[in-house]
Amino acid sequence: MSTVILGIESSCDDTSAAVIKDEVILSNVIASQAVHQAYGGVVPELASRAHQQNIIPVVEKAISDAGIEKSEIDAVAFTRGPGLMGSLLVGTSFAKGFALARNIPLIEINHLHAHVLAHFIKEHSEDDDSPSFPFLCLLVSGGNSQIVLVHDYMHMEIIGQTIDDAAGEAFDKCAKVMGLPYPGGPLIDKLAKEGNPNAFEFSKPRISGYDYSFSGLKTSFLYFLRDELKKNPQFIEEHKADLCASLQKTIIDILMNKLLKAAKVTGIKEVAVAGGVSANSGLRNELQECAMKRGWRTFIPKFSYTTDNAAMIAINGYYKYLKKEFVTQEVAPYSRQAF
Ligand code: KG4
């Protein structure tokens, strides 16, 4: 007998609902919030209000796109954290109400686990291209930069993480310095394609182990531009593509350096990437090169599963449903808790 899970994601600024049947995706609806663009970052108060407006239509659409009746849903899985508290409360409360009204189990999901397990979402039941355990996952988003050793669906170990800014934050903050709109990551990626990655050199951290740091790079970028702008006020405009390409190369070098080290030490050749920054074309190319040169099997999620989405919540919900890992109506969201 098959299992149908409704997934709900509302941890930051995307309201999303998805329906999954066993491991096969039936629908994945995402409502992004353009309201934050004017502020150069996510405004938590505005995010929770937009979630409140979006949640019902998004869920209705996900159910209708899936071509199922509400009565076919076996359980509802929701993002419990980490994320913005006001945003999480909307999804959590909706999921509780839905579970109660339909008398079905409620399943809590860790947002970061969900990003990692997005690799198991199938488009068709015969798909068979998921990573084998154990695998390494580079989880890079606006809030996290981690190397995760994934033992199985339920057991994951963070072996390295950022001690300050996340990789996505470095992209976004440096983009802001150049006067680019939020979120800057995708724009830097686009502009970088026309630039020379070796035009400029920015500082790279020297940290032992597998941990990351991006705050030094951000400062070095800021001071470099400040000095150049004193000499030539048009510096950014005249060198935008080279600046983007050089910055992107530096961020990718930092990320790949530790990932290569982790793969070497653990001997693991199954390597996945997850989170918003995994959409970056330079990072994707770099991983593909490692696959050819080092015999890695690399896993790069479909674009719609790289950023926040409910399909990844639903697939996690499916695995927890099989283990009967349910929560009660007393469950509350958490804003911080890595894993
Ligand atoms: O996982 P995600 O959607 O959610 C948050 O963690 O908020 O990641 C968003 C981050 C942003 O920092 C954005 O700039 C970055 O992912 N991002 C990219 C690209 N697409 C999104 N960074 C670099 N290159 C991209 N193509």
Side-chain angles (χ1 to χ4, degrees):
M1 222 184 76
S2 51
T3 304
V4 177
I5 305 287
L6 171 67
I8 307 286
E9 156 65 28
S10 73
S11 64
C12 190
D13 60 341
D14 292 303
T15 318
S16 181
V19 177
I20 224 161
K21 189 175 194 173
D22 297 331
E23 290 162 307
V24 181
I25 189 78
L26 299 185
S27 65
N28 184 36
V29 178
I30 304 172
S32 302
Q33 304 175 358
V35 65
H36 307 288
Q37 269 173 9
Y39 299 91
V42 177
V43 183
E45 190 79 6
L46 296 179
S48 27
R49 267 190 251 172
H51 282 306
Q52 196 73 58
Q53 286 164 345
N54 293 342
I55 189 92
I56 302 240
V58 162
V59 171
E60 296 268 324
K61 183 156 174 27
I63 293 173
S64 114
D65 285 1
I68 57 152
E69 297 297 326
K70 283 194 187 84
S71 56
E72 292 175 63
I73 298 171
D74 294 297
V76 53
F78 68 98
T79 306
R80 184 175 173 194
L84 300 171
M85 186 46 81
S87 293
L88 290 164
L89 278 167
V90 178
T92 305
S93 304
F94 177 87
K96 283 186 186 188
F98 193 91
L100 194 63
R102 302 224 56 87
N103 195 23
I104 54 174
L106 186 60
I107 301 170
E108 58 102 16
I109 303 295
N110 177 302
H111 181 83
L112 302 174
H113 271 211
H115 269 302
V116 173
L117 295 189
H119 293 279
F120 293 89
I121 301 167
K122 293 183 177 177
E123 300 299 317
H124 309 283
S125 55
E126 61 276 13
D127 289 354
D128 188 20
D129 51 1
S130 310
S132 317
F133 298 115
F135 67 91
L136 290 172
C137 184
L138 176 68
L139 175 51
V140 271
S141 67
N144 295 280
S145 296
Q146 302 176 329
I147 299 178
V148 185
L149 174 54
V150 189
H151 296 284
D152 59 45
Y153 296 119
M154 303 292 159
H155 184 200
M156 302 181 195
E157 200 184 326
I158 298 172
I159 58 171
Q161 62 187 319
T162 182
I163 57 165
D164 42 56
D165 290 350
E169 237 175 320
F171 272 110
D172 296 340
K173 286 181 178 172
C174 291
K176 197 172 175 183
V177 173
M178 286 188 283
L180 296 174
Y182 174 86
L187 275 171
I188 290 184
D189 191 0
K190 196 171 159 210
L191 289 164
K193 291 189 178 112
E194 266 119 59
N196 172 8
N198 299 311
F200 306 110
E201 210 170 304
F202 305 112
S203 84
K204 290 184 194 161
R206 281 192 204 95
I207 311 179
S208 61
Y210 305 123
D211 282 344
Y212 289 119
S213 165
F214 289 99
S215 67
L217 167 62
K218 182 190 64 191
T219 313
S220 114
F221 189 73
L222 183 74
Y223 287 172
F224 171 76
L225 285 186
R226 188 193 58 187
D227 294 345
E228 292 300 326
L229 284 169
K230 270 188 208 155
K231 292 181 253 168
N232 171 11
Q234 298 308 315
F235 184 80
I236 295 179
E237 278 317 307
E238 288 169 11
H239 298 89
K240 208 169 247 173
D242 285 349
L243 283 167
C244 289
S246 304
L247 176 71
Q248 177 165 298
K249 180 181 185 293
T250 311
I251 295 176
I252 294 172
D253 282 354
I254 296 172
L255 290 172
M256 288 305 296
N257 184 302
K258 295 292 171 92
L259 187 61
L260 284 163
K261 189 171 163 186
K264 199 169 167 197
V265 173
T266 59
I268 294 175
K269 291 190 172 200
E270 299 270 304
V271 183
V273 63
V277 180
S278 67
N280 185 269
S281 56
L283 181 60
R284 287 175 173 234
N285 291 342
E286 204 57 43
L287 281 165
Q288 266 153 7
E289 219 172 292
C290 280
M292 286 192 298
K293 277 196 201 147
R294 297 168 196 271
W296 287 8
R297 242 176 28 117
T298 54
F299 302 88
I300 301 174
K302 219 180 101 178
F303 185 76
S304 51
Y305 303 144
T306 56
T307 49
D308 290 348
N309 67 88
M312 65 184 194
I313 305 301
I315 187 88
N316 273 239
Y318 170 71
Y319 297 125
K320 284 196 156 188
Y321 183 88
L322 296 183
K323 292 202 170 282
K324 294 201 173 359
E325 282 194 25
F326 306 140
V327 287
T328 65
Q329 285 283 328
E330 280 72 44
V331 67
Y334 51 80
S335 54
R336 284 172 181 276
Q337 179 183 318
F339 260 62

CSV table of all heavy atoms in Angstrom, one decimal, residues 12 14 115 141-143 168-169 171-172 183-186 189 275-277 279-281 306-308, ligand 1:
chain,number,residue,atom,x,y,z
A,12,CYS,N,11.6,30.4,6.2
A,12,CYS,CA,12.2,31.7,6.0
A,12,CYS,C,11.3,32.5,5.2
A,12,CYS,O,10.2,33.0,5.7
A,12,CYS,CB,13.6,31.5,5.3
A,12,CYS,SG,14.5,33.0,5.2
A,14,ASP,N,10.0,31.6,1.9
A,14,ASP,CA,9.2,30.8,0.9
A,14,ASP,C,8.1,30.0,1.6
A,14,ASP,O,8.4,29.3,2.5
A,14,ASP,CB,10.2,29.9,0.1
A,14,ASP,CG,11.2,30.6,-0.7
A,14,ASP,OD1,10.8,31.4,-1.6
A,14,ASP,OD2,12.4,30.3,-0.5
A,115,HIS,N,17.1,19.4,3.6
A,115,HIS,CA,18.0,19.8,2.4
A,115,HIS,C,18.8,18.6,2.0
A,115,HIS,O,19.0,18.3,0.8
A,115,HIS,CB,18.9,20.9,2.8
A,115,HIS,CG,18.3,22.3,2.5
A,115,HIS,ND1,17.9,22.7,1.2
A,115,HIS,CD2,18.0,23.3,3.3
A,115,HIS,CE1,17.4,23.9,1.3
A,115,HIS,NE2,17.4,24.3,2.5
A,141,SER,N,23.9,27.3,2.2
A,141,SER,CA,22.7,28.2,1.9
A,141,SER,C,23.0,29.6,2.5
A,141,SER,O,24.1,29.9,2.8
A,141,SER,CB,21.5,27.5,2.6
A,141,SER,OG,21.7,27.6,4.0
A,142,GLY,N,21.9,30.3,2.6
A,142,GLY,CA,22.0,31.7,3.1
A,142,GLY,C,22.3,31.7,4.6
A,142,GLY,O,22.8,32.6,5.2
A,143,GLY,N,22.0,30.6,5.3
A,143,GLY,CA,22.2,30.5,6.7
A,143,GLY,C,23.2,29.5,7.2
A,143,GLY,O,23.6,29.5,8.4
A,168,GLY,N,26.3,31.6,1.4
A,168,GLY,CA,25.3,32.4,0.8
A,168,GLY,C,25.3,33.9,1.3
A,168,GLY,O,25.1,34.8,0.5
A,169,GLU,N,25.6,34.0,2.6
A,169,GLU,CA,25.7,35.3,3.2
A,169,GLU,C,26.8,36.1,2.6
A,169,GLU,O,26.7,37.3,2.3
A,169,GLU,CB,25.9,35.1,4.7
A,169,GLU,CG,24.9,35.8,5.6
A,169,GLU,CD,25.3,35.4,7.0
A,169,GLU,OE1,25.6,34.2,7.3
A,169,GLU,OE2,25.1,36.3,7.9
A,171,PHE,N,28.1,35.7,-0.5
A,171,PHE,CA,27.6,36.1,-1.8
A,171,PHE,C,26.7,37.4,-1.7
A,171,PHE,O,26.9,38.4,-2.3
A,171,PHE,CB,26.8,35.0,-2.5
A,171,PHE,CG,27.6,34.1,-3.3
A,171,PHE,CD1,27.8,32.7,-2.9
A,171,PHE,CD2,28.2,34.4,-4.5
A,171,PHE,CE1,28.6,31.8,-3.6
A,171,PHE,CE2,29.0,33.5,-5.2
A,171,PHE,CZ,29.1,32.2,-4.8
A,172,ASP,N,25.7,37.3,-0.7
A,172,ASP,CA,24.7,38.3,-0.6
A,172,ASP,C,25.3,39.7,-0.1
A,172,ASP,O,25.0,40.7,-0.6
A,172,ASP,CB,23.6,37.9,0.3
A,172,ASP,CG,22.8,36.7,-0.3
A,172,ASP,OD1,22.9,36.5,-1.5
A,172,ASP,OD2,22.1,36.0,0.4
A,183,PRO,N,18.4,38.7,-3.5
A,183,PRO,CA,19.7,38.0,-3.0
A,183,PRO,C,20.7,38.1,-4.1
A,183,PRO,O,20.5,37.8,-5.3
A,183,PRO,CB,19.2,36.6,-2.8
A,183,PRO,CG,18.1,36.4,-3.7
A,183,PRO,CD,17.4,37.7,-4.0
A,184,GLY,N,22.0,38.4,-3.7
A,184,GLY,CA,23.0,38.7,-4.7
A,184,GLY,C,23.6,37.5,-5.3
A,184,GLY,O,24.2,37.5,-6.4
A,185,GLY,N,23.5,36.3,-4.7
A,185,GLY,CA,24.1,35.1,-5.2
A,185,GLY,C,23.9,34.8,-6.6
A,185,GLY,O,24.8,34.6,-7.5
A,186,PRO,N,22.6,34.7,-7.0
A,186,PRO,CA,22.3,34.4,-8.4
A,186,PRO,C,22.8,35.4,-9.4
A,186,PRO,O,23.3,35.0,-10.5
A,186,PRO,CB,20.8,34.3,-8.5
A,186,PRO,CG,20.3,34.1,-7.1
A,186,PRO,CD,21.4,34.7,-6.2
A,189,ASP,N,26.6,35.0,-9.8
A,189,ASP,CA,26.8,33.8,-10.7
A,189,ASP,C,26.6,34.2,-12.2
A,189,ASP,O,27.5,33.8,-13.0
A,189,ASP,CB,25.7,32.8,-10.3
A,189,ASP,CG,25.9,31.4,-10.9
A,189,ASP,OD1,26.9,31.2,-11.6
A,189,ASP,OD2,25.1,30.5,-10.6
A,275,GLY,N,21.2,23.0,-0.7
A,275,GLY,CA,21.0,24.3,-0.2
A,275,GLY,C,21.1,25.3,-1.4
A,275,GLY,O,21.5,24.9,-2.5
A,276,GLY,N,20.7,26.5,-1.1
A,276,GLY,CA,20.5,27.5,-2.2
A,276,GLY,C,21.8,27.8,-3.0
A,276,GLY,O,21.7,27.9,-4.2
A,277,VAL,N,23.0,27.7,-2.4
A,277,VAL,CA,24.2,28.0,-3.1
A,277,VAL,C,24.6,26.9,-4.1
A,277,VAL,O,25.4,27.1,-5.0
A,277,VAL,CB,25.4,28.3,-2.1
A,277,VAL,CG1,26.7,28.6,-2.8
A,277,VAL,CG2,25.0,29.5,-1.2
A,279,ALA,N,22.9,26.0,-6.3
A,279,ALA,CA,22.5,26.4,-7.7
A,279,ALA,C,23.6,27.0,-8.4
A,279,ALA,O,23.6,27.3,-9.6
A,279,ALA,CB,21.3,27.4,-7.5
A,280,ASN,N,24.7,27.4,-7.7
A,280,ASN,CA,25.8,28.1,-8.4
A,280,ASN,C,26.5,27.3,-9.5
A,280,ASN,O,27.0,26.2,-9.2
A,280,ASN,CB,26.8,28.5,-7.3
A,280,ASN,CG,27.9,29.4,-7.8
A,280,ASN,OD1,29.0,28.9,-8.3
A,280,ASN,ND2,27.7,30.7,-7.9
A,281,SER,N,26.6,27.9,-10.6
A,281,SER,CA,27.1,27.2,-11.8
A,281,SER,C,28.6,26.9,-11.6
A,281,SER,O,29.1,25.8,-12.0
A,281,SER,CB,26.9,27.9,-13.1
A,281,SER,OG,27.4,29.2,-13.0
A,306,THR,N,16.9,22.9,-4.8
A,306,THR,CA,18.1,23.5,-4.1
A,306,THR,C,17.7,24.6,-3.1
A,306,THR,O,18.2,24.6,-2.0
A,306,THR,CB,19.0,24.2,-5.1
A,306,THR,OG1,18.3,25.2,-5.9
A,306,THR,CG2,19.6,23.2,-6.1
A,307,THR,N,16.7,25.4,-3.5
A,307,THR,CA,16.3,26.5,-2.5
A,307,THR,C,15.2,25.9,-1.6
A,307,THR,O,14.8,24.7,-1.8
A,307,THR,CB,15.8,27.7,-3.3
A,307,THR,OG1,14.9,27.3,-4.3
A,307,THR,CG2,16.9,28.4,-3.9
A,308,ASP,N,14.6,26.7,-0.7
A,308,ASP,CA,13.7,26.1,0.2
A,308,ASP,C,12.4,25.6,-0.5
A,308,ASP,O,11.9,26.3,-1.4
A,308,ASP,CB,13.3,27.2,1.2
A,308,ASP,CG,14.4,27.5,2.2
A,308,ASP,OD1,15.4,26.7,2.2
A,308,ASP,OD2,14.4,28.5,2.9
B,1,KG4,O1,18.8,27.5,0.8
B,1,KG4,P1,18.3,28.9,0.5
B,1,KG4,O2,17.3,29.1,-0.5
B,1,KG4,O3,17.7,29.6,1.8
B,1,KG4,C1,18.4,30.2,2.8
B,1,KG4,O4,19.3,29.7,3.5
B,1,KG4,O5,17.9,31.4,3.1
B,1,KG4,O6,19.6,29.7,0.1
B,1,KG4,C2,19.6,31.1,-0.3
B,1,KG4,C3,21.0,31.5,-0.6
B,1,KG4,C4,21.1,33.0,-0.8
B,1,KG4,O7,22.2,33.5,0.0
B,1,KG4,C5,21.4,33.1,-2.3
B,1,KG4,O8,22.2,34.3,-2.6
B,1,KG4,C6,22.1,31.8,-2.6
B,1,KG4,O9,21.5,30.9,-1.8
B,1,KG4,N1,22.1,31.5,-4.0
B,1,KG4,C7,23.2,31.5,-4.8
B,1,KG4,C8,22.7,31.1,-6.1
B,1,KG4,N2,21.4,30.9,-6.0
B,1,KG4,C9,21.0,31.1,-4.7
B,1,KG4,N3,24.5,31.7,-4.5
B,1,KG4,C10,25.3,31.6,-5.5
B,1,KG4,N4,25.0,31.3,-6.8
B,1,KG4,C11,23.7,31.0,-7.1
B,1,KG4,N5,23.4,30.7,-8.4
